[in-house]
Amino acid sequence: MKTFETVRVDLGDRGYDIHIGSGLLDRAGELMQPMMKGARALIVTDAQVAPLYLERVERSMAAAGLTPMHTVVPAGEPTKDFAHLEALLDAMLGAKAERGTMVVALGGGVIGDLTGFAASILLRGVDFIQIPTTLLAQVDSSVGGKTGINTRHGKNLVGAFHQPRLVLADTAVLDTLPRRQVLAGYAEVVKYGLIDDEPFFTWLESNAQRLIDGDSEARAHAVAVSCQAKARIVSADEREGGVRALLNLGHTFGHALEAETGFSDAMLHGEAVAIGMVMAFRLSAEMGLAPAADVERIIRHFQAVGLPFALPGGRLWEVPRLIAHMAGDKKVKDGKVTFVMARGIGQSFLTRDVPEASLATMLAEMAAGR
Ligand SMILES: NC(=O)c1ccc[n+]([C@@H]2O[C@H](COP(=O)([O-])OP(=O)(O)OC[C@H]3O[C@@H](n4cnc5c(N)ncnc54)[C@H](O)[C@@H]3O)[C@@H](O)[C@H]2O)c1
Ligand SMILES: [Zn+2]
């Protein structure tokens, strides 16, 4: 019986399905069965997720006649580095991984990015499956094939495009996710409405609270719409030559804030992106591109659900430093930053023509708490 939704990512022979629904963990074995080249599967998860969900996934795989093995790595962003990548590859080879072994990423974006990258280079590339367990991973990082690690030069600077063979998003696992993490992931959900789907933003205005509080129908709908949006954009531009950059709405600003706060728990990625999206719309309004009423509408919504929309006080935000971080972003081309700006909610576009004076004015106002 099919009790879940499926979104297809159309990439020819690298295309794949994203299944979304409550309770999918218990069907993982059956659903991954058609993608298997052999019986062996190597699950990679983190120390936080392992005690919660590893056994259920292994049980379901064994019931489908598969042979699951697992490796558990520490939870958290610091795990996405060269040292843990090396240890993980060693563990995979130690477990006698073969070309036909399926690698399974069970966890949030950290596990998906690290495991996907390891799969892309293990034995010159093996297949992998994503079982995302955070809202952020379900609506964003598990879809689209970007994998990678951080280096001392910055985040996500070493990696590969490696599409998964399947994504299983079990919305029930979000019940154990701390509320702050749910909200941070929700920022990426709102992003899809702001990029090019005003009706979805309107739906979120009435349904976001249900979704955040745990309503499984609202969650499944929001995850499905988000995955459809990302799938559509990725299918049109897999390697980010053009429209895929729209997915960076709020991110150039957000990355600058994350860099200033040391990529720490002081500001989660989704929190930085929420403030960054407000910045993108304020700048668009100040340049006369977008109606000021849309900025107000976004801020009202963020306020209602509990997402940040202003720069937190208690620290000095220096405008030149923020601008320097933006200029160092990897999306820079020929020294010019590509901005995602908007003509209104659901009408975002790419431009490299943002006067530095307008940018500085907007940042100075935000830094002054205005
Ligand atoms: N590849 C991409 O396209 C892409 C896109 C966006 C973000 N990312 C990356 O994703 C990462 C952030 O992902 P994240 O926010 O999922 O962080 P994460 O993987 O660190 O997960 C957040 C925390 O939640 C815990 N956790 C995970 N699932 C849980 C559950 N169901 N119940 C309880 N706890 C759970 C984790 O152990 C961790 O402590 C960043 O490294 C970012 O660069 C990648
Ligand atoms: Zn993001």
Side-chain angles (χ1 to χ4, degrees):
M1 188 183 54
K2 188 162 178 213
T3 51
F4 50 85
E5 278 191 62
T6 301
V7 173
R8 178 82 188 165
V9 184
D10 246 322
L11 287 169
D13 57 1
R14 277 169 297 105
Y16 52 95
D17 286 337
I18 306 163
H19 298 315
I20 302 150
S22 179
L24 285 183
L25 282 193
D26 300 314
R27 302 181 61 177
E30 157 208 343
L31 293 168
M32 68 175 66
Q33 179 63 261
M35 280 87 216
M36 300 294 299
K37 291 178 180 156
R40 291 153 64 85
L42 184 65
I43 305 168
V44 181
T45 189
D46 75 28
Q48 193 100 15
V49 175
L52 294 169
Y53 302 116
L54 178 58
E55 202 189 308
R56 269 174 65 195
V57 173
E58 291 198 311
R59 212 183 309 127
S60 120
M61 287 168 65
L66 307 178
T67 312
M69 298 168 288
H70 65 256
T71 301
V72 179
V73 302
E77 192 70 30
T79 296
K80 250 178 72 172
D81 69 358
F82 277 117
H84 289 91
L85 175 70
E86 182 181 4
L88 178 56
L89 288 166
D90 251 345
M92 288 169 154
L93 293 167
K96 304 262 178 307
E98 300 162 0
R99 293 300 292 273
T101 301
M102 181 65 83
V103 169
V104 179
L106 173 68
V110 165
I111 290 302
D113 281 11
L114 173 73
T115 306
F117 185 39
S120 80
I121 53 177
L122 177 72
L123 304 172
R124 297 203 175 81
V126 299
D127 287 348
F128 88 116
I129 287 173
Q130 293 262 23
I131 307 185
T133 63
T134 63
L135 182 57
L136 181 133
Q138 294 190 350
V139 300
D140 192 353
S141 63
S142 68
V143 178
K146 282 191 185 176
T147 71
I149 57 169
N150 307 322
T151 77
R152 73 172 69 113
H153 297 281
K155 273 196 62 168
N156 300 325
L157 291 180
V158 169
F161 283 98
H162 190 50
Q163 301 291 346
R165 299 278 290 134
L166 178 72
V167 180
L168 297 177
D170 183 343
T171 49
V173 304
L174 303 179
D175 290 346
T176 55
L177 193 64
R179 192 180 172 85
R180 188 177 171 203
Q181 295 282 355
V182 173
L183 267 176
Y186 177 72
E188 305 279 7
V189 175
V190 184
K191 184 183 77 177
Y192 296 111
L194 296 180
I195 290 175
D196 65 356
D197 192 348
E198 198 268 345
F200 182 50
F201 183 79
T202 303
W203 183 86
L204 290 170
E205 285 179 311
S206 338
N207 295 282
Q209 203 55 58
R210 271 196 316 132
L211 182 175
I212 291 162
D213 291 343
D215 181 278
S216 69
E217 215 175 295
R219 279 187 175 169
H221 180 70
V223 173
V225 172
S226 301
C227 288
Q228 267 153 13
K230 184 151 185 188
R232 183 164 33 78
I233 293 174
V234 168
S235 309
D237 176 20
E238 187 180 3
R239 287 175 175 257
E240 200 166 311
V243 291
R244 185 164 180 167
L246 289 174
L247 294 171
N248 297 324
L249 174 63
H251 280 63
T252 302
F253 299 109
H255 284 157
L257 304 180
E258 285 183 281
E260 274 299 282
T261 46
F263 294 100
S264 69
D265 282 355
M267 194 182 280
L268 299 179
H269 172 74
E271 295 168 343
V273 168
I275 301 169
M277 291 189 293
V278 171
M279 288 178 161
F281 273 81
R282 275 183 68 152
L283 184 54
S284 299
E286 278 163 31
M287 286 171 63
L289 297 164
D294 281 11
V295 181
E296 292 308 314
R297 194 175 155 199
I298 293 166
I299 291 176
R300 252 196 324 274
H301 179 57
F302 285 12
Q303 203 160 16
V305 297
L307 270 181
F309 52 88
L311 284 172
R315 67 177 298 143
L316 188 63
W317 297 95
E318 290 180 50
V319 173
R321 287 180 58 98
L322 292 175
I323 292 179
H325 285 305
M326 289 179 209
D329 201 273
K330 71 176 177 298
K331 270 95 198 179
V332 172
K333 209 176 144 200
D334 305 331
K336 271 205 137 186
V337 180
T338 300
F339 284 90
V340 188
M341 303 286 279
R343 295 193 178 84
I345 291 170
Q347 299 174 58
S348 68
F349 65 99
L350 300 171
T351 178
R352 290 164 74 194
D353 295 320
V354 170
E356 187 157 330
S358 310
L359 174 64
T361 304
M362 182 276 294
L363 290 173
E365 284 179 5
M366 296 274 303
R370 272 181 277 130

